[in-house]
Amino acid sequence: MTAASGESFQSLSSFQNCPTTWVHFIVHTSTEPEPFGRVIIEGQLAQRPVIATDAGGAQELVKHQETGLLVPTNDPKALVGAIRQLLESPKHMSDIIHGGYEVASSRFSLDVHLQTFGQAMKELIA
């Protein structure tokens, strides 16, 4: 697939393959609590700042001001404020990007899943 700019990507569900000019923030604005926010993890692994609503699985995946920003559900002013906060403080945005990536890669990377799966298989066989 090719973007209008001529850059190619595989799918929008894999942010690492998206042209960086397309995705500046990951904004997860679920109005109902979700048990797990895959988009949040994908955004953190793609080293994008994450802003999510403070409900459900997002509360476990985002540590406010460290690995992303949490805003109340159904509060557009708070969402705008969070975006503005990151735009006005590139250092803070960089810290959030780094924090999110570090936590997500230590908990949800392919290597971590393969190790966990391999250990579970060893235990089943033993």
Side-chain angles (χ1 to χ4, degrees), residues 65-119:
Q65 299 290 353
E66 293 181 26
T67 64
L69 299 178
L70 293 171
V71 297
T73 57
N74 298 311
D75 189 344
K77 287 183 182 181
L79 178 59
V80 169
I83 293 170
R84 184 173 287 133
Q85 176 185 349
L86 293 178
L87 290 173
E88 291 175 353
S89 179
K91 168 81 168 88
H92 185 63
M93 183 170 21
S94 177
D95 290 345
I96 283 176
I97 290 169
H98 180 74
Y101 177 78
E102 290 300 315
V103 170
S105 62
S106 70
R107 291 178 65 194
F108 301 105
S109 71
L110 179 59
D111 288 338
V112 169
H113 284 289
L114 290 174
Q115 289 172 3
T116 303
F117 182 76
Q119 185 62 37

Side-chain angles (χ1 to χ4, degrees), residues 1 8 15 20 24-25 27-28 31 35 38-39 51-52 56 80 93 97 100 102 115 122 126:
M1 207 179 287
S8 64
F15 293 118
T20 56
H24 296 285
F25 296 94
V27 181
H28 187 268
T31 58
R38 178 179 166 189
V39 170
I51 301 169
V80 169
M93 183 170 21
I97 290 169
E102 290 300 315
Q115 289 172 3
K122 286 178 186 176

